[in-house]
Amino acid sequence: MQHTRMTRRGLGAGLLTGLAAPAIAQSQSASAWPDRPVRLIVPFGAGGAIDTLSRTVAQRFSEFANGQSLVVENRSGAGGTVAGGFVAREKPDGYTLMMADVGSNAIGKLLNPGLAYDPATAFTPIIHLVNLPGVVIAHPSVTVKDLPDLIAQAKARPGAFTYSSAGIGNGSHLFMALLLRQAGVEMVHVPYRSGAEMVTALVRGDAQFGFPTVSSALQMIRGGQAKAIAVSTAEETPALPGIPPVARTIPGFNLAVWHGIMAPAEMEPALASRINTVFARVAALPEVQEAVFRAQAGRMVGGSPKDFADHIAREIARWEPLIREGGFKVE
């Protein structure tokens, strides 16, 4: 845009040539990326939903990346912000990337004002890869037929029910907190350290309700150890046929756990575009889309770096009032 304005003002050709040279060099550098293996930092441990997604993508990365590999590196801790802090300090050269998560790359500073980096300024968004639906689940002993019944029972017995989550500020916490606020009901929150722990706690009967991802709960639902009540997305998911969306009871409710690719801040736009193109080609593969849906009920998204940046801005705007009003803090 700057080059265009200067041209309209009639600046000399020599000045334009001087300005164009760095852009040409950047473009050539971007087209050569990658010329060595690329690290993908995952903010949670091996075996979880975000790790599974990362390894699915990594399997096909080299086909579109000059034959170079994508090396998955798990750096868990502090709700994903250990990984976020690590990536934020790296060079924006395209060789250290991060599989983004809402905590480490969007709302971490809201939950922990003392966080050493600000997710809003510490990263370059590259591409929004996937949305994973959530599902409201109940222990089989709970006499709840559907979401309207759940709301009615909770209103009749304020604070009598508990719900488990994978930790303060995790999607499973935020999704349920938003649902309860919009429904005008109260439950006691019992946070755990992971999605697996929260689902196990519900299966044991330590909590009556939960709002995990479909992939985290699907085995328990199919085995009769948990009861599916409603899904978080605006439409039903084929992974749970017949389970209605929350939006049929609370209009406008439409949430998904999202992941994508982030790079350190101040990456050159040409390089960000090149990386976006590589991951977009991986995400467009029918085999990758099928694998992500089969394992996680997820939908690949795609789009430009700006699309992802806009999505993250909307997520921060969505969750900031809930976090502030609820007093949610992670020390």
Side-chain angles (χ1 to χ4, degrees):
M1 292 177 67
Q2 185 178 15
H3 298 173
T4 303
R5 290 197 298 269
M6 289 179 177
T7 302
R8 289 173 179 170
R9 292 172 184 172
L11 292 181
L15 177 57
L16 287 173
T17 301
L19 289 172
I24 293 171
Q26 291 167 11
S27 177
Q28 291 173 341
S29 175
S31 65
W33 180 93
D35 60 10
R36 62 182 187 272
V38 176
R39 288 192 301 176
L40 180 63
I41 307 300
V42 176
F44 296 97
I50 190 169
D51 178 69
T52 300
L53 170 67
S54 300
R55 295 178 190 278
T56 299
V57 171
Q59 288 176 359
R60 305 298 296 272
F61 177 83
S62 65
E63 298 172 31
F64 307 99
N66 301 330
Q68 299 296 331
S69 60
L70 185 66
V71 181
V72 175
E73 183 177 316
N74 301 89
R75 286 181 177 259
S76 60
T81 58
V82 168
F86 173 79
V87 174
R89 295 189 298 269
E90 293 293 295
K91 295 178 181 178
D93 59 6
Y95 292 96
T96 300
L97 304 173
M98 180 175 183
M99 186 62 80
D101 174 76
V102 66
S104 48
N105 301 99
I107 62 172
K109 195 75 170 179
L110 299 174
L111 293 165
N112 180 6
L115 192 65
Y117 70 95
D118 186 348
T121 59
F123 304 104
T124 300
I126 300 296
I127 188 169
H128 183 173
L129 276 182
V130 70
N131 284 336
L132 306 178
V135 58
V136 180
I137 58 174
H139 188 271
S141 66
V142 178
T143 58
V144 167
K145 301 187 298 292
D146 50 28
L147 186 58
D149 188 27
L150 184 159
I151 294 170
Q153 291 197 34
K155 283 184 175 180
R157 302 169 59 195
F161 294 119
T162 62
Y163 72 94
S164 60
S165 82
I168 295 172
N170 179 269
S172 56
H173 175 209
L174 297 176
F175 283 22
M176 184 64 90
L178 183 62
L179 186 156
L180 297 178
R181 186 178 73 166
Q182 293 187 354
V185 299
E186 297 179 6
M187 288 187 190
V188 177
H189 175 216
V190 183
Y192 289 85
R193 292 180 298 180
S194 69
E197 285 190 15
M198 71 160 287
V199 173
T200 299
L202 185 141
V203 169
R204 286 198 308 260
D206 295 343
Q208 284 83 46
F209 297 99
F211 208 151
T213 59
V214 169
S215 58
S216 297
L218 196 55
Q219 183 177 352
M220 305 299 181
I221 294 169
R222 288 173 174 169
Q225 298 164 294
K227 181 164 50 176
I229 304 296
V231 295
S232 67
T233 44
E235 299 178 351
E236 292 184 19
T237 172
L240 288 172
I243 304 302
V246 172
R248 290 189 190 169
T249 303
I250 303 176
F253 196 97
N254 182 18
L255 302 176
V257 172
W258 54 265
H259 299 300
I261 301 298
M262 283 284 199
E266 300 182 5
M267 175 173 281
E268 295 293 344
L271 179 55
S273 178
R274 162 67 179 161
I275 299 173
N276 172 279
T277 298
V278 169
F279 280 99
R281 288 174 176 172
V282 175
L285 291 171
E287 301 91 338
V288 170
Q289 295 181 1
E290 173 61 26
V292 170
F293 177 77
R294 186 174 61 251
Q296 300 171 286
R299 297 286 191 187
M300 304 304 283
V301 180
S304 69
K306 184 180 184 304
D307 292 334
F308 195 24
D310 290 345
H311 173 77
I312 293 168
R314 290 192 297 269
E315 284 290 279
I316 293 172
R318 183 209 299 272
W319 297 119
E320 182 173 11
L322 183 72
I323 290 169
R324 296 198 187 283
E325 292 168 16
F328 304 153
K329 295 292 181 185
V330 176
E331 301 299 335

